[in-house]
Amino acid sequence: MADAAEIFENGDLARIAVFVGALAILAIAEVIVPKQRHEIPRLIRWTNNFGVVIVDALLVRIVFPVAATGLAVVAHEEGWGLLNIMAAPGWLAFLASFLFFDFVIYIQHVVLHAVPALWRLHRMHHADLEFDVSTGLRFHPGEILLSFALKLAVVLAIGPPAAAVLVFEIVLNATSMFNHSNIRIPPRADRLLRWILVTPDMHRIHHSVYPTDNNSNFGFNLPWWDRLLGTYRSKPKDGYRNMTIGLDEFRTRRDLWLDRMLTQPFRNDPEEDASVSEITSSKPEKPEE
């Protein structure tokens, strides 16, 4: 396994490389094999969704000057955390850390839906009116800061190898873009794949307007927690062809703008904007599954 300091130094380069590569591949795949037809221009959604990504990244750098991988290096050197105290073998510490981080992300996601104050932060992610790779990056800065703080707490508690932290962050970022992507996977392949990975069709159910749908399929990376803990749902209430993405209370194109996304947790209902037409409730024609 690579030296911890080397992993820390090269972590940002690896993150950027995988991020750009995965984004490019998935964006191209969405054009070649789309699952659903989009009615809102990408220029509107993508410029604002990626604007949120920039705000998130800047705030994390300002509020948390230490990265999770850097803290893992310090924890290893100081002997902090359960795995360091136990002196667990490297391979076991890596595997246990990866699985535990994924389980924590699942629990965090469930809590974000269950606690009203946290839901107000998380609902910005659900308020996207269409579902594609950019949705997988659209999270309110408040949620990102809470998530990062939780990650640092987990690092201190379990003392994971720095390599495990880095790999998990890279994999989670890539799989979040994948499972939000608007790509069509043949049904048979999807049924098999969702035993080992959260697929776009599996996670798309989570973005339905119906609470029975969006309170299911919480996993971002591994699908096992949903299956084991009873939150797995195989199909959306209205079927994939007729399902509606988003939230009932935020359905204007104006609500897709960066300023409205950032202030959304503090609003009960979207403000009326006469200059922006309301998106109709009729469902657009969608390609065959």
Side-chain angles (χ1 to χ4, degrees), residues 53-97:
V53 175
I54 294 172
V55 173
D56 290 344
L58 290 175
L59 279 178
V60 167
R61 289 290 186 182
I62 293 171
V63 178
F64 297 104
V66 60
T69 50
L71 185 59
V73 170
V74 174
H76 175 74
E77 292 174 348
E78 300 294 332
W80 298 339
L82 181 63
L83 294 172
N84 289 317
I85 293 173
M86 295 174 59
W91 67 269
L92 179 60
F94 184 98
L95 180 60
S97 299

Side-chain angles (χ1 to χ4, degrees), residues 101-221:
F101 269 115
D102 200 68
F103 179 67
V104 168
I105 292 296
Y106 166 84
I107 294 297
Q108 171 189 287
H109 198 177
V110 172
V111 172
L112 286 169
H113 279 249
V115 178
L118 297 179
W119 167 246
R120 294 181 75 88
L121 289 175
H122 182 61
R123 71 182 182 184
M124 192 200 82
H125 176 65
H126 282 263
D128 202 350
L129 296 175
E130 293 183 340
F131 184 89
D132 66 16
V133 63
S134 74
T135 311
L137 303 169
R138 171 189 160 130
F139 295 94
H140 194 276
E143 177 180 344
I144 291 296
L145 292 177
L146 287 174
S147 181
F148 198 83
L150 176 61
K151 186 190 303 180
L152 295 182
V154 171
V155 169
L156 289 175
I158 69 172
V165 177
L166 177 61
V167 169
F168 179 77
E169 288 181 332
I170 291 174
V171 170
L172 183 65
N173 188 260
T175 54
S176 179
M177 288 190 286
F178 168 70
N179 61 46
H180 286 90
S181 61
N182 183 42
I183 60 175
R184 183 181 185 275
I185 298 176
R188 180 176 296 180
D190 180 82
R191 285 194 296 271
L192 293 175
L193 188 58
R194 67 170 64 181
W195 281 100
I196 58 173
L197 187 67
V198 176
T199 67
D201 270 2
M202 177 179 169
H203 194 70
R204 184 186 296 268
I205 299 167
H206 183 72
H207 283 258
S208 162
V209 293
Y210 294 116
T212 51
D213 285 343
N214 64 42
N215 282 308
S216 67
N217 297 5
F218 292 98
F220 272 102
N221 185 21

Side-chain angles (χ1 to χ4, degrees), residues 18 20 51 129 284:
V18 174
V20 173
L129 296 175

